[in-house]
Amino acid sequence: MEWENIGMNELSKEVREIINFELDQAEEARAHKYCKNLRIIGVILAVLVIVAGIFGIYCVYADIHWGFYAFLVFALLSVVLFKVYQAKNITRLTRLTNDDCCVIKPLTAYVVMLQYSRRAKNYDTVLQCIGSMLFYMGKFEECKAVAGLLEKYSDTSIAKSYRYSLLAMVALIEKDRDVINKCIEEMETLVSQSPEMYIREAYRVISKYPAMLDAEENGDYAKMSELLELDDAKTFTLKKVSANYRLYKVATVAGLEEEAAKHRGYVIENGGDTFYKKELEAANQ
């Protein structure tokens, strides 16, 4: 079923049914305001561009050359301002997730944004963001349910890659090798069919999952460190938290108490409202 053939009320309703817990009310109000403002700004700019376009055409016929160029500049600036407003919001949500490890606020915003999305290519991306936030909250069944929506409503290569990435992430936590191997096989097929960089990078990442499971089960701390590719100079906080969580697990198996304590401390200090922090806090209570 193609995205264009469904109403967003239907899709939003299914997502709300999956997320059967309370979202951040303040963030929800903020997201509604942002989406409404974005729509209003879009309409106003469209009207202004049309008016400016009519003026530009008049200037061409009236041999007023500066008027036509003024129209082009105005149209360009209008698009830039619209994109800047969008980018500021996305940058804020990305910072909350990657730098602050705060996932309930971005999850709330993405759920609201889904209600206002009208372009088919946006739906896959927003659903992927919702699924990822659910994963980082430790809502694994809900994450898999959102992956199911990607399968139900879209057959694009990028949507499939989002789905397999989400399922593989959960399978790594649940140590489900069968699901991981299935996702790797499917992603390998997608890589052969699509030039999309996201698909290739996602395939590269989840291809390491079997080796990560082996490293954790065998207590191979050095191997796990190598697989995680943890570069403090470039890596954002959420990835560091995830990596320290995995290193804590393997250090515990290996009996490396000092290393395990160090990694646990990092996760608890920087883990925000992720399941990584909650799990390790509960582990020593």
Side-chain angles (χ1 to χ4, degrees):
M1 184 177 182
E2 294 297 331
W3 288 115
E4 291 85 344
N5 296 332
I6 65 167
M8 285 313 299
N9 286 337
E10 177 187 345
L11 181 57
S12 296
K13 181 179 179 182
E14 289 198 55
V15 170
R16 289 284 187 170
E17 288 174 351
I18 291 171
I19 303 174
N20 58 356
F21 54 88
E22 186 174 355
L23 296 174
D24 188 288
Q25 294 183 354
E27 186 65 32
E28 188 166 7
R30 177 175 185 154
H32 275 294
K33 182 178 180 180
Y34 160 77
C35 291
K36 290 176 181 177
N37 287 345
L38 191 66
R39 184 170 293 179
I40 292 170
I41 291 171
V43 171
I44 292 174
L45 288 179
V47 171
L48 290 176
V49 168
I50 291 172
V51 172
I54 294 172
F55 175 71
I57 293 172
Y58 166 77
C59 289
V60 170
Y61 282 100
D63 202 27
I64 305 175
H65 299 294
W66 65 265
F68 178 73
Y69 293 113
F71 157 70
L72 292 179
V73 171
F74 179 83
L76 180 61
L77 286 175
S78 297
V79 173
V80 169
L81 289 173
F82 186 77
K83 292 297 183 180
V84 166
Y85 186 67
Q86 284 182 310
K88 286 182 65 176
N89 183 61
I90 296 300
T91 299
R92 172 179 167 271
L93 295 178
T94 301
R95 178 183 56 76
L96 282 171
T97 304
N98 290 345
D99 297 339
D100 300 341
C101 293
C102 172
V103 290
I104 186 62
K105 288 180 180 292
L107 171 63
T108 302
Y110 292 131
V111 169
V112 173
M113 288 165 65
L114 187 63
Q115 297 177 232
Y116 292 85
S117 296
R118 290 294 180 267
R119 298 176 63 189
K121 71 175 185 179
N122 291 342
Y123 308 154
D124 294 351
T125 302
V126 177
L127 275 181
Q128 189 270 343
C129 290
I130 291 172
S132 296
M133 296 307 103
L134 288 169
F135 169 80
Y136 291 124
M137 288 184 69
K139 304 288 186 180
F140 302 131
E141 292 305 315
E142 290 87 345
C143 177
K144 287 189 281 188
V146 170
L149 291 181
L150 284 164
E151 179 182 26
K152 179 179 179 181
Y153 289 121
S154 181
D155 61 357
T156 65
S157 294
I158 196 69
K160 290 178 181 178
S161 70
Y162 288 156
R163 173 174 175 261
Y164 297 132
S165 293
L166 291 174
L167 293 176
M169 287 163 62
V170 174
L172 179 62
I173 296 296
E174 297 179 344
K175 300 183 179 180
D176 191 331
R177 290 181 180 270
D178 290 338
V179 171
I180 289 175
N181 290 333
K182 176 65 174 176
C183 290
I184 291 174
E185 290 175 8
E186 296 291 350
M187 287 293 289
E188 187 173 11
T189 300
L190 290 177
V191 167
S192 67
Q193 298 172 346
S194 173
E196 289 278 354
M197 285 304 299
Y198 173 85
I199 295 176
R200 295 178 180 278
E201 178 61 17
Y203 171 67
R204 188 187 72 82
V205 170
I206 69 174
S207 292
K208 296 181 179 183
Y209 288 180
M212 286 184 179
L213 285 180
D214 290 339
E216 182 176 333
E217 291 173 1
N218 298 327
D220 192 338
Y221 185 84
K223 183 62 176 178
M224 181 66 83
S225 299
E226 176 188 336
L227 289 167
L228 290 171
E229 300 178 353
L230 191 59
D231 185 341
D232 288 341
K234 299 178 181 179
T235 306
F236 49 83
T237 304
L238 180 59
K239 185 176 179 180
K240 291 179 184 178
V241 167
S242 174
N244 276 272
Y245 170 85
R246 302 228 67 85
L247 289 170
Y248 164 80
K249 292 281 189 177
V250 72
T252 300
V253 173
L256 303 174
E257 296 182 2
E258 184 176 340
E259 293 297 321
K262 179 185 73 174
H263 295 304
R264 179 177 180 273
Y266 185 90
V267 173
I268 291 176
E269 180 180 353
N270 300 284
D273 58 1
T274 64
F275 82 90
Y276 302 121
K277 176 179 178 179
K278 294 174 183 176
E279 180 182 323
L280 298 196
E281 280 182 329
N284 284 26
Q285 288 182 355

